[in-house]
RNA sequence: GGCAGGGUGGCUCAGUGGUACGGCGGAGGACUGCAAAUCCUUUAUUCGCGAGUUCGAUUCUCGCCCCUGCCUCCA
């Protein structure tokens, strides 16, 4: 059954739905970014990569996409880290945002249309909080904090599929003195001495975490927009609270489709900073090309858990090498746009099923190799091959460089290859094999082809 | 405890009411002086367990076992 039109799994309804944007031809998409106090780990990478693929596919479908991904650049952890390091908060967040971009670029992620920072949207946040206070959805507690009254919002719990009473019965939340309800959350936090703060109708303070996303998404995309995404762990309470704030303050529906990606696990356990079982993108980058990490992620559907391991990364590298091998045989890349195979398109249209899309890519890859072997025409398949790899954001490097990157003395290798080929011509295979073994010991593999001998680093 | 998502070959990962996609790995073959790469063949009578519905279930229903996540900050 071919899927001609995009169907997405909407966390809000718990089912797959045909995707129909609010405005035909246009998509507004907001993805929760990161809190910038440290380097990104593999879990963050998954959000970046998967929503990058979604972004690319939406564009391919012909939509004009307004893709917004925020930076949380003020919060407790940031302040604590800045104090630890003895630097200003902004110095820390600027540094981490730059690092974020380096990592995202390395992973081959396109830049979003907008990357708003919380600290640059104080006016919007304060306006939204004021609206909530004015219409009775928020109140000023004895502590001076402004809190959101969850009981005043009838739809609370719709996204996470919970109701307030259930949440409270199993709640681990400490009951705060000033709260009218244990689930009430902070909209505006009164400043403590020495903390960064902004002026507001409720005195000096700073915004709560949830309000920034409500305010920034609506500021860039309007009170109603199409897609809101992020990691599964943000579903509750973060996204639930975003909905409560935005719908109570504005008149729109807020986000209509909610997309949540699964976690990255280590030994079947969630990778997280609190558990300390995480690898940063940079650490992985020392052992694997970032594109291997991307390939690894594409092999699993975005909503499923993804178990990170060296074995899995090695397998991803082997598969990616095979694609690069084909790219190398094809030679110069022919740019193409919408030549993806039908099965690839069907897979992507079915809630961005990248594992199935990869299967479609490998089908074409195999056919190309076969036809290249037999000398048949591959032009149509080549266009499809590159259209699909571009859509997935893989095979973006020069194929020759992919295999020959690293610390190698190419001139010396070429010289040895010449020497070996002379030996082969002289049928001195002992000498020829000795040279090959010598290079193999250095991780250089020789390949004798119809057009001479090539080499690659493994 | 409540809610959510899982358990598919050596590993990994899709999928479907009619005996299972792809990748990695293994085996055999073609090619090669030998390799490497590539191609071909092959690698699950079987989809956690038990029952039910059905002509037929891995796919639907029920029960059970196990795993993970969320319910607090977390992508």
């Amino acid at each position: 059954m071919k899927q001609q039109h995009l169907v997405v799994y909407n966390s809000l309804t718990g089912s797959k739905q045909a995707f129909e944007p609010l405005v035909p031809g246009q998509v507004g998409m907001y993805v929760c970014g990161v809190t910038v106090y440290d380097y990104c780990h593999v879990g963050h990478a998954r959000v970046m990569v998967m929503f990058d693929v979604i972004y690319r596919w939406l564009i391919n479908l012909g939509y004009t996409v307004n893709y917004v991904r925020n930076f949380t650049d003020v919060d407790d952890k940031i302040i604590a880290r800045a104090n630890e390091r003895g630097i200003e908060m902004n110095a820390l967040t600027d540094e981490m945002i730059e690092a974020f971009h380096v990592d995202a670029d390395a992973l081959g992620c396109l830049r979003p249309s907008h990357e708003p920072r919380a600290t640059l949207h104080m006016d919007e946040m304060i306006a939204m909080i004021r609206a909530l206070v004015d219409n009775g959805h928020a109140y000023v507690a004895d502590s001076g904090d402004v809190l959101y009254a969850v009981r005043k919002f009838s739809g609370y719990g719709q996204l996470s599929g919970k109701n307030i009473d259930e949440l409270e019965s199993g709640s681990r939340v400490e009951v705060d003195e000033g709260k009218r309800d244990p689930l009430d959350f902070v909209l505006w936090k009164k400043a403590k001495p020495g903390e960064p703060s902004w002026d507001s109708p409720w005195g000096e303070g700073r915004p709560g975490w949830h309000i920034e996303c409500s305010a920034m998404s609506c500021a860039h995309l309007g009170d109603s927009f199409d897609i809101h995404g992020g990691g599964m762990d943000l579903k509750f309470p973060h996204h639930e609270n975003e909905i409560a704030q935005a719908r109570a303050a504005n008149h729109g529906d807020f986000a209509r489709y909610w997309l949540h990606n699964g976690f990255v696990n280590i030994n079947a356990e969630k990778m997280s900073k609190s558990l300390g079982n995480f690898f940063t993108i940079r650490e992985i980058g020392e052992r694997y090309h970032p594109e291997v990490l991307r390939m690894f992620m594409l092999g699993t559907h975005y909503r499923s858990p993804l178990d990170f391991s060296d074995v899995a990364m090695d397998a991803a590298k082997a598969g990616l090498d095979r694609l690069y091998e084909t790219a190398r045989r094809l030679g110069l890349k022919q740019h193409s746009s919408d030549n993806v195979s039908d099965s690839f398109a069907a897979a992507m249209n079915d809630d961005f099923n990248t594992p199935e899309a990869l299967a479609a890519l490998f089908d074409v890859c195999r056919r190309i190799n076969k036809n290249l072997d037999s000398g048949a025409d591959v032009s149509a398949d080549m266009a499809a091959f590159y259209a699909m790899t571009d859509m997935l954001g893989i095979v973006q490097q020069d194929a020759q460089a992919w295999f020959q990157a690293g610390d190698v003395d190419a001139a010396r290798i070429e010289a040895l290859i010449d020497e070996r080929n002379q030996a082969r011509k002289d049928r001195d295979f002992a000498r020829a094999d000795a040279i090959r073994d010598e290079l193999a010991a250095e991780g250089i593999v020789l390949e004798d082809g119809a057009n001479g001998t090539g080499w690659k680093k493994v």
Side-chain angles (χ1 to χ4, degrees):
Chain A
M1 176 176 63
K2 271 183 189 169
Q3 199 66 60
Q4 298 296 331
H5 298 291
L6 179 61
V7 168
V8 302
Y9 180 88
N10 187 354
S11 300
L12 199 59
T13 59
S15 60
K16 284 187 185 177
Q17 298 177 303
F19 178 74
E20 298 289 346
L22 215 47
V23 179
Q26 293 180 30
V27 175
M29 176 164 82
Y30 185 90
V31 174
C32 284
V34 295
T35 300
V36 280
Y37 69 101
D38 206 343
Y39 294 122
C40 290
H41 64 227
V42 179
H44 299 116
R46 191 175 191 194
V47 183
M48 298 181 210
V49 169
M50 295 323 296
F51 281 96
D52 181 63
V53 170
I54 288 169
Y55 180 44
R56 288 170 188 249
W57 186 246
L58 289 170
I59 291 170
N60 177 253
L61 291 177
Y63 291 114
T64 300
V65 185
N66 192 181
Y67 175 21
V68 181
R69 183 181 61 204
N70 73 298
F71 286 117
T72 298
D73 64 348
V74 53
D75 100 323
D76 290 346
K77 287 190 287 276
I78 294 172
I79 293 167
R81 181 63 57 87
N83 287 340
E84 268 171 45
R85 292 181 50 182
I87 57 176
E88 291 294 309
M89 184 175 78
N90 281 342
L92 174 65
T93 55
D94 286 349
E95 178 189 327
M96 288 305 156
I97 286 172
E98 195 184 325
F100 178 97
H101 280 139
V102 169
D103 292 342
D105 291 349
L107 288 167
C109 297
L110 304 172
R111 293 283 175 100
S113 320
H114 301 283
E115 297 185 281
R117 295 175 62 152
T119 54
L120 299 179
H121 288 74
M122 285 297 157
D123 292 346
E124 289 89 338
M125 289 188 254
I126 288 169
M128 187 172 266
I129 296 169
R130 182 165 15 213
L132 291 169
V133 171
D134 288 349
N135 67 20
H137 280 89
Y139 59 95
V140 181
D142 295 341
S143 61
D145 292 346
V146 181
L147 301 178
Y148 186 95
V150 294
R151 295 271 175 193
K152 290 284 172 66
F153 182 68
S154 60
Y156 197 80
Q158 190 197 343
L159 176 66
S160 50
K162 304 164 191 279
N163 65 53
I164 294 175
D165 296 320
E166 275 175 359
L167 282 166
E168 288 185 359
S169 65
S171 178
R172 288 179 272 164
V173 181
E174 286 176 36
V175 179
D176 198 309
E177 289 303 311
K179 288 187 180 178
R180 293 180 189 170
D181 188 286
L183 290 174
D184 288 353
F185 55 91
V186 179
L187 295 170
W188 188 260
K189 202 169 200 166
K190 190 177 179 177
K192 296 192 183 102
E195 284 183 350
S197 63
W198 288 260
D199 192 33
S200 83
W202 316 280
E204 289 283 310
R206 58 190 160 94
W209 176 37
H210 313 298
I211 194 70
E212 66 172 86
C213 285
S214 298
M216 289 193 284
S217 56
C218 291
H220 285 89
L221 301 171
D223 291 353
S224 299
F225 57 94
D226 300 301
I227 296 172
H228 192 125
M232 208 81 93
D233 46 357
L234 296 183
K235 203 164 160 186
F236 188 90
H238 184 55
H239 290 334
E240 194 69 61
N241 291 351
E242 278 189 52
I243 292 172
Q245 292 165 333
R247 286 197 183 159
N250 302 331
H251 299 294
D253 298 329
F254 199 47
R256 303 163 58 241
Y257 298 91
W258 287 81
L259 272 46
H260 292 102
N261 65 275
F263 300 122
V264 174
N265 294 158
I266 301 271
N267 298 322
E269 206 176 38
K270 176 183 171 185
M271 176 183 290
S272 75
K273 295 202 173 176
S274 49
L275 289 171
N277 62 343
F278 64 91
F279 295 104
T280 63
I281 296 170
R282 282 150 195 253
E283 286 168 331
I284 301 306
E286 289 168 10
R287 296 190 292 134
Y288 300 93
H289 191 285
E291 213 175 87
V292 174
L293 187 55
R294 189 172 174 113
M295 180 72 179
F296 164 65
M297 290 174 167
L298 295 170
T300 300
H301 185 84
Y302 78 92
R303 284 190 283 116
S304 299
L306 177 62
D307 237 44
F308 184 85
S309 68
D310 283 1
V311 176
M313 286 292 286
D314 289 341
K317 182 185 183 304
L320 188 55
D321 279 346
R322 184 147 150 244
L323 296 175
Y324 267 108
E325 197 68 58
T326 297
R328 185 162 71 158
R329 296 183 73 186
L330 285 171
L332 218 53
K333 179 170 177 173
Q334 301 282 308
H335 257 287
S336 50
S337 50
D338 54 356
N339 295 307
V340 302
S341 72
D342 288 348
S343 50
F344 182 96
M348 291 301 285
N349 275 332
D350 183 13
D351 197 30
F352 316 104
N353 193 331
T354 53
E356 211 170 278
L358 272 181
L361 173 59
F362 275 106
D363 284 344
V364 171
C365 175
R366 183 178 308 104
R367 193 163 63 223
I368 289 173
N369 285 139
K370 198 194 298 190
N371 288 336
L372 245 26
D373 284 349
S374 69
D377 176 64
V378 296
S379 54
D381 280 334
M382 173 160 70
F385 179 84
Y386 284 126
M388 293 187 277
T389 54
D390 283 354
M391 206 54 61
L392 297 174
I394 51 176
V395 195
Q396 300 298 294
Q397 315 301 312
D398 176 77
Q400 201 63 32
W402 177 260
F403 290 112
Q404 300 188 341
D407 188 19
V408 290
D409 183 349
R412 177 177 151 267
I413 293 168
E414 296 294 346
L416 284 168
I417 286 174
D418 288 345
E419 188 186 336
R420 171 170 168 274
N421 281 148
Q422 186 56 51
R424 290 172 71 210
K425 201 175 287 178
D426 299 339
R427 303 200 67 77
D428 179 1
F429 296 120
R431 176 60 190 150
D433 291 349
I435 292 171
R436 188 169 63 195
D437 291 346
E438 180 190 335
L439 286 169
E442 300 168 26
I444 305 297
V445 173
L446 299 188
E447 301 175 309
D448 299 322
N451 304 316
T453 301
W455 62 275
K456 68 183 178 187
K457 182 135 176 63
V458 292

